[in-house]
Amino acid sequence: MSGTRFNSKIEDLGSSITVITKEQMTDFAMLDINDIFLYTASTEGTGTYTDFTIDRNGSYPTTWN
């Protein structure tokens, strides 16, 4: 697998890459991609999706409840 669309070495990449192995998926009973997202940083699936609302001016709210 690769972390980018380019043929690059992982150690040359400037961003963080999380690897999930088949054994980890079995140990944590991960069934689909949404289960994997629960254990990786900077991702969100259907269970952790944040639905942003836009006000009538087309802006995102600045305060969160």
Short mmCIF file of all heavy atoms in Angstrom, two decimals:
data_model
loop_
_atom_site.label_atom_id
_atom_site.label_comp_id
_atom_site.label_asym_id
_atom_site.label_seq_id
_atom_site.Cartn_x
_atom_site.Cartn_y
_atom_site.Cartn_z
N MET A 1 0.84 -1.17 0.00
CA MET A 1 0.00 0.00 0.00
C MET A 1 0.89 1.24 0.00
O MET A 1 2.07 1.18 0.24
CB MET A 1 -0.88 0.02 1.24
CG MET A 1 -1.85 -1.10 1.34
SD MET A 1 -3.10 -0.84 0.09
CE MET A 1 -3.87 -2.40 0.08
N SER A 2 0.26 2.36 -0.21
CA SER A 2 1.02 3.61 -0.23
C SER A 2 0.26 4.67 0.54
O SER A 2 -0.94 4.57 0.75
CB SER A 2 1.26 4.06 -1.66
OG SER A 2 0.05 4.42 -2.27
N GLY A 3 1.00 5.68 0.97
CA GLY A 3 0.40 6.78 1.71
C GLY A 3 0.03 7.95 0.81
O GLY A 3 -0.65 8.86 1.23
N THR A 4 0.51 7.92 -0.43
CA THR A 4 0.21 8.98 -1.37
C THR A 4 -0.06 8.37 -2.74
O THR A 4 0.08 7.17 -2.93
CB THR A 4 1.37 9.97 -1.52
OG1 THR A 4 2.47 9.30 -2.14
CG2 THR A 4 1.82 10.50 -0.17
N ARG A 5 -0.38 9.19 -3.69
CA ARG A 5 -0.58 8.69 -5.04
C ARG A 5 0.73 8.60 -5.81
O ARG A 5 0.77 8.12 -6.92
CB ARG A 5 -1.59 9.55 -5.78
CG ARG A 5 -1.15 10.97 -5.93
CD ARG A 5 -2.20 11.82 -6.57
NE ARG A 5 -1.67 13.19 -6.60
CZ ARG A 5 -2.22 14.15 -7.27
NH1 ARG A 5 -3.31 13.93 -7.95
NH2 ARG A 5 -1.71 15.35 -7.25
N PHE A 6 1.82 9.10 -5.21
CA PHE A 6 3.13 9.05 -5.84
C PHE A 6 3.91 7.86 -5.32
O PHE A 6 3.69 7.39 -4.21
CB PHE A 6 3.91 10.34 -5.56
CG PHE A 6 3.22 11.57 -6.07
CD1 PHE A 6 2.71 12.50 -5.18
CD2 PHE A 6 3.07 11.79 -7.42
CE1 PHE A 6 2.07 13.62 -5.63
CE2 PHE A 6 2.42 12.93 -7.88
CZ PHE A 6 1.92 13.85 -6.98
N ASN A 7 4.87 7.38 -6.09
CA ASN A 7 5.72 6.28 -5.67
C ASN A 7 6.83 6.83 -4.78
O ASN A 7 7.90 7.19 -5.25
CB ASN A 7 6.29 5.57 -6.90
CG ASN A 7 7.04 4.32 -6.54
OD1 ASN A 7 7.00 3.85 -5.41
ND2 ASN A 7 7.74 3.76 -7.51
N SER A 8 6.56 6.95 -3.49
CA SER A 8 7.49 7.53 -2.52
C SER A 8 7.77 6.56 -1.40
O SER A 8 6.91 5.74 -1.06
CB SER A 8 6.92 8.81 -1.90
OG SER A 8 6.57 9.74 -2.89
N LYS A 9 8.95 6.67 -0.81
CA LYS A 9 9.25 5.88 0.39
C LYS A 9 8.51 6.49 1.57
O LYS A 9 8.40 7.72 1.68
CB LYS A 9 10.75 5.88 0.66
CG LYS A 9 11.56 5.17 -0.38
CD LYS A 9 13.03 5.20 0.01
CE LYS A 9 13.86 4.49 -1.03
NZ LYS A 9 15.29 4.52 -0.67
N ILE A 10 8.02 5.64 2.45
CA ILE A 10 7.26 6.14 3.60
C ILE A 10 8.12 7.05 4.47
O ILE A 10 7.65 8.05 4.98
CB ILE A 10 6.68 4.97 4.42
CG1 ILE A 10 5.57 4.31 3.60
CG2 ILE A 10 6.12 5.45 5.75
CD1 ILE A 10 4.92 3.13 4.28
N GLU A 11 9.40 6.72 4.64
CA GLU A 11 10.26 7.55 5.49
C GLU A 11 10.53 8.93 4.89
O GLU A 11 10.98 9.83 5.59
CB GLU A 11 11.59 6.84 5.81
CG GLU A 11 12.43 6.53 4.58
CD GLU A 11 12.28 5.11 4.08
OE1 GLU A 11 11.36 4.41 4.50
OE2 GLU A 11 13.11 4.71 3.27
N ASP A 12 10.24 9.13 3.60
CA ASP A 12 10.43 10.43 2.97
C ASP A 12 9.20 11.33 3.05
O ASP A 12 9.25 12.49 2.67
CB ASP A 12 10.81 10.25 1.49
CG ASP A 12 12.18 9.61 1.32
OD1 ASP A 12 12.99 9.68 2.26
OD2 ASP A 12 12.42 9.02 0.25
N LEU A 13 8.09 10.79 3.54
CA LEU A 13 6.86 11.56 3.61
C LEU A 13 6.85 12.48 4.83
O LEU A 13 7.36 12.12 5.89
CB LEU A 13 5.65 10.63 3.66
CG LEU A 13 5.48 9.71 2.45
CD1 LEU A 13 4.31 8.79 2.68
CD2 LEU A 13 5.32 10.51 1.18
N GLY A 14 6.27 13.65 4.68
CA GLY A 14 6.21 14.61 5.76
C GLY A 14 4.98 14.49 6.63
O GLY A 14 4.84 15.18 7.63
N SER A 15 4.06 13.62 6.27
CA SER A 15 2.83 13.49 7.04
C SER A 15 2.79 12.17 7.79
O SER A 15 3.52 11.24 7.49
CB SER A 15 1.62 13.59 6.11
OG SER A 15 1.66 12.56 5.16
N SER A 16 1.93 12.13 8.77
CA SER A 16 1.77 10.93 9.58
C SER A 16 0.92 9.90 8.84
O SER A 16 -0.08 10.24 8.21
CB SER A 16 1.09 11.31 10.89
OG SER A 16 0.79 10.16 11.64
N ILE A 17 1.32 8.64 8.93
CA ILE A 17 0.58 7.55 8.31
C ILE A 17 0.32 6.50 9.39
O ILE A 17 1.22 6.11 10.11
CB ILE A 17 1.35 6.93 7.14
CG1 ILE A 17 1.52 7.96 6.04
CG2 ILE A 17 0.65 5.70 6.63
CD1 ILE A 17 2.33 7.47 4.87
N THR A 18 -0.92 6.07 9.50
CA THR A 18 -1.28 5.03 10.45
C THR A 18 -1.51 3.74 9.69
O THR A 18 -2.23 3.71 8.70
CB THR A 18 -2.57 5.41 11.19
OG1 THR A 18 -2.37 6.66 11.84
CG2 THR A 18 -2.94 4.36 12.22
N VAL A 19 -0.87 2.68 10.16
CA VAL A 19 -1.01 1.36 9.55
C VAL A 19 -1.88 0.50 10.44
O VAL A 19 -1.63 0.37 11.63
CB VAL A 19 0.37 0.70 9.35
CG1 VAL A 19 0.21 -0.70 8.78
CG2 VAL A 19 1.24 1.55 8.45
N ILE A 20 -2.92 -0.08 9.88
CA ILE A 20 -3.79 -1.01 10.59
C ILE A 20 -3.59 -2.37 9.95
O ILE A 20 -3.83 -2.54 8.76
CB ILE A 20 -5.27 -0.59 10.49
CG1 ILE A 20 -5.50 0.82 11.03
CG2 ILE A 20 -6.16 -1.60 11.19
CD1 ILE A 20 -5.32 0.93 12.53
N THR A 21 -3.16 -3.33 10.75
CA THR A 21 -2.91 -4.67 10.23
C THR A 21 -4.16 -5.54 10.36
O THR A 21 -5.09 -5.22 11.09
CB THR A 21 -1.76 -5.35 10.98
OG1 THR A 21 -2.15 -5.54 12.34
CG2 THR A 21 -0.49 -4.53 10.90
N LYS A 22 -4.15 -6.65 9.66
CA LYS A 22 -5.26 -7.59 9.73
C LYS A 22 -5.40 -8.14 11.15
O LYS A 22 -6.52 -8.34 11.64
CB LYS A 22 -5.03 -8.73 8.74
CG LYS A 22 -6.17 -9.70 8.66
CD LYS A 22 -5.93 -10.75 7.60
CE LYS A 22 -7.10 -11.70 7.52
NZ LYS A 22 -6.93 -12.69 6.46
N GLU A 23 -4.27 -8.34 11.84
CA GLU A 23 -4.32 -8.83 13.22
C GLU A 23 -4.98 -7.81 14.14
O GLU A 23 -5.74 -8.18 15.04
CB GLU A 23 -2.90 -9.16 13.71
CG GLU A 23 -2.30 -10.39 13.05
CD GLU A 23 -1.75 -10.12 11.65
OE1 GLU A 23 -1.51 -8.94 11.29
OE2 GLU A 23 -1.61 -11.09 10.89
N GLN A 24 -4.68 -6.52 13.95
CA GLN A 24 -5.33 -5.49 14.76
C GLN A 24 -6.83 -5.47 14.50
O GLN A 24 -7.62 -5.32 15.43
CB GLN A 24 -4.76 -4.11 14.43
CG GLN A 24 -3.40 -3.84 15.03
CD GLN A 24 -2.88 -2.50 14.57
OE1 GLN A 24 -2.71 -2.28 13.38
NE2 GLN A 24 -2.64 -1.62 15.52
N MET A 25 -7.20 -5.63 13.24
CA MET A 25 -8.62 -5.64 12.92
C MET A 25 -9.33 -6.81 13.59
O MET A 25 -10.45 -6.66 14.09
CB MET A 25 -8.80 -5.69 11.40
CG MET A 25 -8.37 -4.44 10.69
SD MET A 25 -8.56 -4.52 8.92
CE MET A 25 -10.33 -4.57 8.77
N THR A 26 -8.68 -7.95 13.64
CA THR A 26 -9.27 -9.11 14.29
C THR A 26 -9.34 -8.91 15.80
O THR A 26 -10.37 -9.19 16.43
CB THR A 26 -8.45 -10.37 13.97
OG1 THR A 26 -8.42 -10.54 12.55
CG2 THR A 26 -9.06 -11.60 14.62
N ASP A 27 -8.25 -8.41 16.40
CA ASP A 27 -8.20 -8.21 17.86
C ASP A 27 -9.25 -7.22 18.35
O ASP A 27 -9.82 -7.39 19.42
CB ASP A 27 -6.81 -7.73 18.28
CG ASP A 27 -5.75 -8.80 18.15
OD1 ASP A 27 -6.11 -9.99 18.01
OD2 ASP A 27 -4.55 -8.46 18.18
N PHE A 28 -9.49 -6.15 17.58
CA PHE A 28 -10.44 -5.12 17.99
C PHE A 28 -11.81 -5.30 17.35
O PHE A 28 -12.67 -4.44 17.47
CB PHE A 28 -9.89 -3.74 17.65
CG PHE A 28 -8.75 -3.30 18.52
CD1 PHE A 28 -7.45 -3.44 18.10
CD2 PHE A 28 -8.99 -2.78 19.78
CE1 PHE A 28 -6.40 -3.04 18.89
CE2 PHE A 28 -7.94 -2.38 20.59
CZ PHE A 28 -6.64 -2.51 20.15
N ALA A 29 -12.02 -6.41 16.65
CA ALA A 29 -13.29 -6.73 16.00
C ALA A 29 -13.75 -5.61 15.06
O ALA A 29 -14.91 -5.20 15.06
CB ALA A 29 -14.37 -7.04 17.03
N MET A 30 -12.81 -5.11 14.26
CA MET A 30 -13.13 -4.08 13.27
C MET A 30 -13.77 -4.76 12.06
O MET A 30 -13.18 -5.65 11.46
CB MET A 30 -11.87 -3.33 12.85
CG MET A 30 -11.20 -2.58 13.95
SD MET A 30 -9.72 -1.79 13.31
CE MET A 30 -8.91 -1.34 14.82
N LEU A 31 -14.97 -4.33 11.72
CA LEU A 31 -15.71 -4.97 10.64
C LEU A 31 -15.71 -4.17 9.35
O LEU A 31 -15.80 -4.73 8.26
CB LEU A 31 -17.15 -5.23 11.07
CG LEU A 31 -17.30 -6.11 12.31
CD1 LEU A 31 -18.76 -6.23 12.71
CD2 LEU A 31 -16.70 -7.48 12.06
N ASP A 32 -15.64 -2.84 9.46
CA ASP A 32 -15.66 -2.02 8.25
C ASP A 32 -14.79 -0.79 8.46
O ASP A 32 -14.17 -0.61 9.50
CB ASP A 32 -17.09 -1.64 7.85
CG ASP A 32 -17.80 -0.80 8.90
OD1 ASP A 32 -17.16 -0.31 9.84
OD2 ASP A 32 -19.02 -0.61 8.76
N ILE A 33 -14.75 0.08 7.45
CA ILE A 33 -13.87 1.24 7.50
C ILE A 33 -14.24 2.20 8.63
O ILE A 33 -13.38 2.86 9.20
CB ILE A 33 -13.87 1.97 6.12
CG1 ILE A 33 -12.73 2.97 6.02
CG2 ILE A 33 -15.20 2.63 5.85
CD1 ILE A 33 -11.37 2.37 5.93
N ASN A 34 -15.50 2.26 9.01
CA ASN A 34 -15.91 3.13 10.11
C ASN A 34 -15.32 2.67 11.44
O ASN A 34 -14.99 3.49 12.29
CB ASN A 34 -17.43 3.21 10.20
CG ASN A 34 -18.01 3.95 9.02
OD1 ASN A 34 -17.64 5.08 8.75
ND2 ASN A 34 -18.89 3.29 8.30
N ASP A 35 -15.17 1.36 11.64
CA ASP A 35 -14.51 0.85 12.84
C ASP A 35 -13.04 1.22 12.85
O ASP A 35 -12.48 1.53 13.90
CB ASP A 35 -14.66 -0.67 12.92
CG ASP A 35 -16.09 -1.11 13.13
OD1 ASP A 35 -16.89 -0.31 13.66
OD2 ASP A 35 -16.41 -2.25 12.77
N ILE A 36 -12.40 1.19 11.70
CA ILE A 36 -10.98 1.57 11.61
C ILE A 36 -10.81 3.05 11.93
O ILE A 36 -9.87 3.44 12.62
CB ILE A 36 -10.44 1.24 10.21
CG1 ILE A 36 -10.43 -0.28 10.01
CG2 ILE A 36 -9.05 1.82 10.01
CD1 ILE A 36 -10.11 -0.73 8.62
N PHE A 37 -11.74 3.89 11.46
CA PHE A 37 -11.65 5.32 11.73
C PHE A 37 -11.68 5.63 13.22
O PHE A 37 -11.15 6.65 13.65
CB PHE A 37 -12.79 6.07 11.04
CG PHE A 37 -12.64 6.18 9.54
CD1 PHE A 37 -13.73 6.42 8.75
CD2 PHE A 37 -11.40 6.04 8.94
CE1 PHE A 37 -13.61 6.53 7.37
CE2 PHE A 37 -11.26 6.14 7.56
CZ PHE A 37 -12.37 6.39 6.78
N LEU A 38 -12.30 4.79 14.03
CA LEU A 38 -12.34 5.03 15.47
C LEU A 38 -10.96 4.94 16.11
O LEU A 38 -10.72 5.50 17.17
CB LEU A 38 -13.28 4.01 16.14
CG LEU A 38 -14.76 4.13 15.80
CD1 LEU A 38 -15.52 2.95 16.39
CD2 LEU A 38 -15.32 5.44 16.29
N TYR A 39 -10.03 4.25 15.47
CA TYR A 39 -8.70 4.02 16.03
C TYR A 39 -7.59 4.78 15.30
O TYR A 39 -6.42 4.56 15.55
CB TYR A 39 -8.38 2.53 16.02
CG TYR A 39 -9.27 1.74 16.94
CD1 TYR A 39 -10.42 1.13 16.47
CD2 TYR A 39 -8.98 1.63 18.29
CE1 TYR A 39 -11.25 0.42 17.32
CE2 TYR A 39 -9.80 0.93 19.15
CZ TYR A 39 -10.94 0.33 18.65
OH TYR A 39 -11.76 -0.37 19.51
N THR A 40 -7.94 5.66 14.38
CA THR A 40 -6.93 6.43 13.65
C THR A 40 -7.18 7.92 13.83
O THR A 40 -8.31 8.37 13.99
CB THR A 40 -6.95 6.09 12.15
OG1 THR A 40 -8.27 6.26 11.65
CG2 THR A 40 -6.53 4.67 11.91
N ALA A 41 -6.10 8.68 13.80
CA ALA A 41 -6.18 10.13 14.01
C ALA A 41 -6.62 10.85 12.74
O ALA A 41 -6.36 10.40 11.63
CB ALA A 41 -4.82 10.66 14.45
N SER A 42 -7.28 11.97 12.93
CA SER A 42 -7.69 12.86 11.85
C SER A 42 -8.59 12.19 10.80
O SER A 42 -8.48 12.47 9.61
CB SER A 42 -6.47 13.48 11.17
OG SER A 42 -5.72 14.22 12.09
N THR A 43 -9.44 11.29 11.24
CA THR A 43 -10.40 10.65 10.34
C THR A 43 -11.77 10.66 10.99
O THR A 43 -11.90 10.79 12.20
CB THR A 43 -10.03 9.19 10.04
OG1 THR A 43 -9.99 8.45 11.26
CG2 THR A 43 -8.68 9.08 9.36
N GLU A 44 -12.79 10.57 10.19
CA GLU A 44 -14.13 10.43 10.73
C GLU A 44 -14.98 9.61 9.76
O GLU A 44 -14.87 9.75 8.55
CB GLU A 44 -14.78 11.78 11.03
CG GLU A 44 -14.89 12.73 9.88
CD GLU A 44 -15.47 14.07 10.30
OE1 GLU A 44 -15.73 14.28 11.49
OE2 GLU A 44 -15.66 14.90 9.41
N GLY A 45 -15.76 8.73 10.33
CA GLY A 45 -16.66 7.90 9.55
C GLY A 45 -18.09 8.29 9.83
O GLY A 45 -18.36 9.35 10.38
N THR A 46 -19.01 7.42 9.50
CA THR A 46 -20.41 7.75 9.70
C THR A 46 -20.77 7.85 11.18
O THR A 46 -21.65 8.61 11.55
CB THR A 46 -21.32 6.71 9.03
OG1 THR A 46 -21.01 5.42 9.55
CG2 THR A 46 -21.15 6.73 7.53
N GLY A 47 -20.07 7.11 12.05
CA GLY A 47 -20.36 7.17 13.48
C GLY A 47 -19.75 8.36 14.18
O GLY A 47 -20.21 8.78 15.23
N THR A 48 -18.70 8.96 13.59
CA THR A 48 -18.03 10.09 14.22
C THR A 48 -18.11 11.33 13.34
O THR A 48 -17.38 12.29 13.55
CB THR A 48 -16.55 9.75 14.48
OG1 THR A 48 -15.94 9.38 13.23
CG2 THR A 48 -16.40 8.64 15.47
N TYR A 49 -19.00 11.32 12.38
CA TYR A 49 -19.14 12.44 11.45
C TYR A 49 -19.72 13.65 12.15
O TYR A 49 -20.69 13.57 12.89
CB TYR A 49 -20.03 12.03 10.28
CG TYR A 49 -20.36 13.13 9.32
CD1 TYR A 49 -19.38 13.62 8.48
CD2 TYR A 49 -21.62 13.68 9.27
CE1 TYR A 49 -19.67 14.64 7.58
CE2 TYR A 49 -21.92 14.68 8.38
CZ TYR A 49 -20.94 15.16 7.54
OH TYR A 49 -21.22 16.16 6.67
N THR A 50 -19.10 14.80 11.92
CA THR A 50 -19.59 16.07 12.47
C THR A 50 -20.34 16.81 11.38
O THR A 50 -19.76 17.22 10.38
CB THR A 50 -18.41 16.93 12.96
OG1 THR A 50 -17.64 16.18 13.88
CG2 THR A 50 -18.90 18.19 13.61
N ASP A 51 -21.62 16.96 11.56
CA ASP A 51 -22.44 17.65 10.58
C ASP A 51 -22.44 19.14 10.90
O ASP A 51 -23.05 19.58 11.87
CB ASP A 51 -23.86 17.10 10.60
CG ASP A 51 -24.71 17.65 9.47
OD1 ASP A 51 -24.12 18.10 8.48
OD2 ASP A 51 -25.93 17.60 9.60
N PHE A 52 -21.74 19.92 10.09
CA PHE A 52 -21.69 21.36 10.30
C PHE A 52 -22.94 22.00 9.73
O PHE A 52 -23.40 21.66 8.65
CB PHE A 52 -20.45 21.95 9.61
CG PHE A 52 -19.17 21.55 10.25
CD1 PHE A 52 -18.33 20.66 9.62
CD2 PHE A 52 -18.80 22.05 11.48
CE1 PHE A 52 -17.13 20.28 10.20
CE2 PHE A 52 -17.61 21.68 12.07
CZ PHE A 52 -16.78 20.79 11.43
N THR A 53 -23.48 22.92 10.47
CA THR A 53 -24.63 23.65 9.99
C THR A 53 -24.16 25.01 9.49
O THR A 53 -23.22 25.59 10.01
CB THR A 53 -25.68 23.85 11.10
OG1 THR A 53 -25.06 24.51 12.20
CG2 THR A 53 -26.23 22.52 11.56
N ILE A 54 -24.82 25.49 8.49
CA ILE A 54 -24.48 26.79 7.91
C ILE A 54 -25.63 27.73 8.19
O ILE A 54 -26.80 27.40 7.96
CB ILE A 54 -24.23 26.65 6.40
CG1 ILE A 54 -23.08 25.68 6.15
CG2 ILE A 54 -23.94 28.00 5.77
CD1 ILE A 54 -22.84 25.35 4.70
N ASP A 55 -25.31 28.93 8.68
CA ASP A 55 -26.37 29.89 8.98
C ASP A 55 -26.86 30.56 7.70
O ASP A 55 -26.38 30.29 6.60
CB ASP A 55 -25.92 30.91 10.02
CG ASP A 55 -24.77 31.78 9.55
OD1 ASP A 55 -24.48 31.80 8.34
OD2 ASP A 55 -24.17 32.47 10.40
N ARG A 56 -27.81 31.44 7.83
CA ARG A 56 -28.43 32.05 6.65
C ARG A 56 -27.47 32.94 5.86
O ARG A 56 -27.74 33.30 4.72
CB ARG A 56 -29.66 32.83 7.05
CG ARG A 56 -29.38 34.01 7.93
CD ARG A 56 -30.64 34.69 8.32
NE ARG A 56 -30.32 35.81 9.20
CZ ARG A 56 -31.19 36.59 9.75
NH1 ARG A 56 -32.47 36.37 9.53
NH2 ARG A 56 -30.83 37.57 10.52
N ASN A 57 -26.32 33.30 6.47
CA ASN A 57 -25.32 34.11 5.77
C ASN A 57 -24.29 33.25 5.05
O ASN A 57 -23.38 33.77 4.43
CB ASN A 57 -24.60 35.03 6.76
CG ASN A 57 -25.55 36.02 7.40
OD1 ASN A 57 -26.46 36.53 6.75
ND2 ASN A 57 -25.34 36.28 8.67
N GLY A 58 -24.43 31.93 5.17
CA GLY A 58 -23.48 31.03 4.52
C GLY A 58 -22.23 30.80 5.33
O GLY A 58 -21.22 30.33 4.81
N SER A 59 -22.26 31.11 6.64
CA SER A 59 -21.09 30.95 7.50
C SER A 59 -21.29 29.77 8.45
O SER A 59 -22.42 29.41 8.79
CB SER A 59 -20.88 32.22 8.35
OG SER A 59 -20.68 33.32 7.50
N TYR A 60 -20.19 29.21 8.89
CA TYR A 60 -20.23 28.18 9.92
C TYR A 60 -20.35 28.86 11.28
O TYR A 60 -19.86 29.95 11.48
CB TYR A 60 -18.97 27.33 9.89
CG TYR A 60 -18.83 26.49 8.65
CD1 TYR A 60 -17.92 26.81 7.66
CD2 TYR A 60 -19.64 25.38 8.46
CE1 TYR A 60 -17.81 26.02 6.51
CE2 TYR A 60 -19.54 24.60 7.33
CZ TYR A 60 -18.62 24.94 6.36
OH TYR A 60 -18.53 24.16 5.24
N PRO A 61 -21.01 28.21 12.24
CA PRO A 61 -21.12 28.82 13.56
C PRO A 61 -19.76 28.95 14.23
O PRO A 61 -18.87 28.11 14.05
CB PRO A 61 -22.04 27.87 14.33
CG PRO A 61 -21.94 26.57 13.60
CD PRO A 61 -21.65 26.91 12.17
N THR A 62 -19.57 30.01 15.01
CA THR A 62 -18.30 30.22 15.68
C THR A 62 -18.30 29.66 17.10
O THR A 62 -17.25 29.53 17.71
CB THR A 62 -17.95 31.72 15.73
OG1 THR A 62 -19.04 32.42 16.36
CG2 THR A 62 -17.72 32.26 14.34
N THR A 63 -19.46 29.35 17.63
CA THR A 63 -19.55 28.76 18.97
C THR A 63 -20.13 27.36 18.85
O THR A 63 -21.01 27.10 18.03
CB THR A 63 -20.44 29.60 19.90
OG1 THR A 63 -21.73 29.70 19.32
CG2 THR A 63 -19.84 30.97 20.11
N TRP A 64 -19.65 26.47 19.67
CA TRP A 64 -20.11 25.07 19.66
C TRP A 64 -20.78 24.76 20.97
O TRP A 64 -20.35 25.17 22.02
CB TRP A 64 -18.92 24.13 19.45
CG TRP A 64 -18.19 24.45 18.20
CD1 TRP A 64 -17.04 25.15 18.09
CD2 TRP A 64 -18.56 24.11 16.86
NE1 TRP A 64 -16.66 25.27 16.79
CE2 TRP A 64 -17.58 24.64 16.01
CE3 TRP A 64 -19.64 23.43 16.31
CZ2 TRP A 64 -17.64 24.50 14.63
CZ3 TRP A 64 -19.69 23.29 14.94
CH2 TRP A 64 -18.68 23.81 14.11
N ASN A 65 -21.87 24.05 20.92
CA ASN A 65 -22.59 23.65 22.13
C ASN A 65 -22.04 22.39 22.69
O ASN A 65 -21.59 21.53 22.09
CB ASN A 65 -24.07 23.50 21.82
CG ASN A 65 -24.69 24.82 21.43
OD1 ASN A 65 -24.17 25.87 21.80
ND2 ASN A 65 -25.76 24.78 20.69
#
